Amino acid sequence: MSGRVRGQVSAVAPAKVNLCLGVGPVRADGFHPLATIYQAVGLQDRVTVGAADEVSVTVRGDARSAVHEVPTDGSNLAVQAALVLAKHHGLDRGVRIVIEKGIPVAGGMAGGSADAAATLVACDRLWRLGTSREKLLSLAAELGSDVPFALVGGTALGSGRGELVTPLTTRGRYWWVVLESAVGLSTPAVYREFDALHTGSALVEPQISSGVVSALRDDDVVALGAALTNELQPAALRLRPELEGVLELGRTEGVHGAIVSGSGPSCLFLCADRADAVRVGEGLRSRGLGPVSVAPGPVAGARVVAAREG
Ligand code: C5P
């Protein structure tokens, strides 16, 4: 029941890219150990929560986004986030959740995780719970491997299955072109393909790329572009071979780096600066391959942007 809670709260949370993504052999719990450097980029979802008797979720997006692929039942990560937070505080609360998608759906950019992170901070404010940052992070880790980073934002090391996040201080601002695919890729399917590709080979524990670390330290975009790595990329390319040509097209536009984002299929192109990213974005858009956006990174993690008392 809604009790005396009124009003509504909106929060935003960013998409992520992985500047390097090292993947180790599958663990007993079915997850893979990761060594990654996350960066939050300026594509964001906005989640608005309001008091209600029942839990409900509505997903909106512009015509280009595959909002119909987002579940609106209990498997929706934002719904799970609201329930996990309420349960932690011993509450039985309904909530109306409206998600406005700005992050590609099933695109390898942690859009569902962003919704969960935004819902955690929005419900925490709506219900005036004042949950500690530490507790929010541990609830986030229960929800999914990428959810803690969506809370933290910026640039950060990720370890464990991705849920252990250590913020990094970096000086640079980077400009990314994001090319979406009309059809998403399932993260578990990409990990299964990764396992199939490595059957019989001895996988070692994943490592952070020293090239990415030194490029960030020196704020050297050329070195960063050359050092970008994604050990899930071969698996994503096996499932979507046409992405190879998409990456190549980006390279012909003169970008510093071209890579599949996380488990894909979104493709990322690292550009020299904003003007260069706009140029590359227009070049790719003119080929009609899919929706193209330009996004800076790093940006902040999930945060409340509007709160209205009832
Ligand atoms: O943690 P999350 O719910 O986002 O993970 C979705 C799926 O992706 C997992 O069920 C698993 O199949 C795969 N995964 C993995 N190793 C990770 C993260 C995700 O195998 N480190």
Side-chain angles (χ1 to χ4, degrees), residues 26 30-34 77 113 143-146 160-162 187-189 191:
V26 64
F31 287 90
H32 295 70
L34 303 182
L77 222 45
S113 302
L143 291 161
S145 307
D146 292 330
R161 58 180 230 277
T187 303
Y191 275 103

Side-chain angles (χ1 to χ4, degrees), residues 65-225:
S65 62
V67 289
H68 56 276
E69 285 184 32
V70 180
T72 51
D73 58 12
S75 67
N76 184 292
L77 222 45
V79 169
Q80 291 177 20
L83 294 176
V84 158
L85 183 68
K87 183 163 171 240
H88 169 68
H89 289 278
L91 300 170
D92 180 14
R93 288 262 162 87
V95 65
R96 180 176 39 79
I97 304 171
V98 178
I99 300 171
E100 292 163 82
K101 297 296 299 179
I103 304 175
V105 175
M109 300 190 75
S113 302
D115 299 343
T119 303
L120 282 176
V121 299
C123 286
D124 189 58
R125 175 71 71 87
L126 179 74
W127 298 333
R128 300 196 181 101
L129 300 172
T131 313
S132 71
R133 189 75 179 159
E134 202 182 3
K135 191 67 217 175
L136 283 179
L137 284 168
S138 81
L139 296 175
E142 275 178 43
L143 291 161
S145 307
D146 292 330
V147 184
F149 177 69
L151 278 178
V152 171
T155 305
L157 293 172
S159 61
R161 58 180 230 277
E163 88 284 20
L164 304 174
V165 175
T166 309
L168 286 175
T169 307
T170 56
R171 292 182 293 138
R173 187 166 177 81
Y174 301 97
W175 285 92
W176 300 91
V177 173
V178 180
L179 177 61
E180 294 176 41
S181 267
V183 183
L185 261 177
S186 140
T187 303
V190 175
Y191 275 103
R192 277 196 301 275
E193 194 64 29
F194 174 90
D195 292 338
L197 276 173
H198 292 89
T199 309
S201 66
L203 271 173
V204 293
E205 283 307 303
Q207 303 291 328
I208 290 290
S209 154
S210 55
V212 169
V213 172
S214 57
L216 287 173
R217 187 194 54 220
D218 300 342
D219 185 16
D220 183 339
V221 67
V222 177
L224 181 61

